[in-house]
Amino acid sequence: AESCREIGVETIESTYETARLDTPADIVASFEVIEHLFDPGAFLGWCHAALNPGGHVLLTCPNIAGFETLILGRESGAVDHEHLNLFTPESLARLAERSGFADVEVTTPGRLDVELVQRALDEGAVTRETVGEAMCRLVEAESDLQDRLQALIQDARLSSNMMMTARKPA
């Protein structure tokens, strides 16, 4: 928020339920929030109402169907008692569409999936038997192969981090 203010972007820090806008916004951005909300549909409804026609919402959240989560299971950072909602790219897109948004695009641009699995192995959070020997060899491979594996994870929409953009129809 401070970085946005420094470059002149009007920034509101509050819960969406108490946020008051003097005029509709051109963009609403929300990073790693929607998974913590009791009613994510109500939040997206608020975003829709807060936007000018043609305005955009941008949000990020974990992908429960992502590589890191699939490999690490309950040891994944996405599996957290504070995460009340767990989304896949498809479920997040459907929720946005039900909330009135168009041009919904969900990507998985994460860059840390391989590193997170490697760290969990190094720290003993998971065992080689749990992860599987073939997967261990892939995540422990030379950095070029790790980079290619991460790119494949992104291309397959399997990163454990998602970004959604959507537009309020004009």
Side-chain angles (χ1 to χ4, degrees):
E2 185 61 35
S3 295
C4 288
R5 276 190 210 92
E6 287 174 5
I7 60 170
V9 174
E10 184 178 345
T11 305
I12 299 170
E13 288 181 86
S14 74
T15 63
Y16 76 92
E17 297 95 342
T18 61
R20 299 292 175 248
L21 303 179
D22 295 332
T23 60
D26 292 323
I27 188 164
V28 172
S30 170
F31 304 108
E32 306 303 310
V33 172
I34 196 168
E35 68 274 17
H36 296 275
L37 301 176
F38 288 111
D39 191 345
F43 171 68
L44 284 179
W46 179 90
C47 292
H48 191 274
L51 287 168
N52 280 313
H56 288 81
V57 63
L58 165 70
L59 65 83
T60 64
C61 68
N63 175 10
I64 196 63
F67 176 83
E68 178 231 354
T69 307
L70 293 173
I71 299 298
L72 299 181
R74 67 181 183 193
E75 298 304 322
S76 165
V79 181
D80 182 317
H81 71 281
E82 294 180 356
H83 291 175
L84 306 178
N85 304 283
L86 301 172
F87 297 100
T88 65
E90 294 76 19
S91 68
L92 186 60
R94 279 194 306 271
L95 181 61
E97 289 165 356
R98 277 199 320 259
S99 299
F101 287 99
D103 301 328
V104 178
E105 183 178 344
V106 180
T107 59
T108 63
R111 306 266 325 143
L112 300 175
D113 298 272
V114 174
E115 181 181 322
L116 292 170
V117 173
Q118 177 65 56
R119 186 179 309 146
L121 282 164
D122 292 346
E123 294 173 355
V126 293
T127 66
R128 294 182 78 79
E129 292 142 357
T130 303
V131 173
E133 190 58 34
M135 188 56 63
C136 288
R137 288 185 186 188
L138 286 172
V139 300
E140 295 170 346
E142 61 189 59
S143 63
D144 179 57
L145 183 57
Q146 288 179 345
D147 291 343
R148 291 188 318 199
L149 176 58
Q150 184 64 51
L152 176 64
I153 291 166
Q154 289 171 286
D155 290 346
R157 292 182 48 161
L158 286 174
S159 177
S160 293
N161 180 266
M162 294 189 288
M163 179 172 65
M164 183 195 80
T165 60
R167 180 182 57 81
K168 179 178 179 175

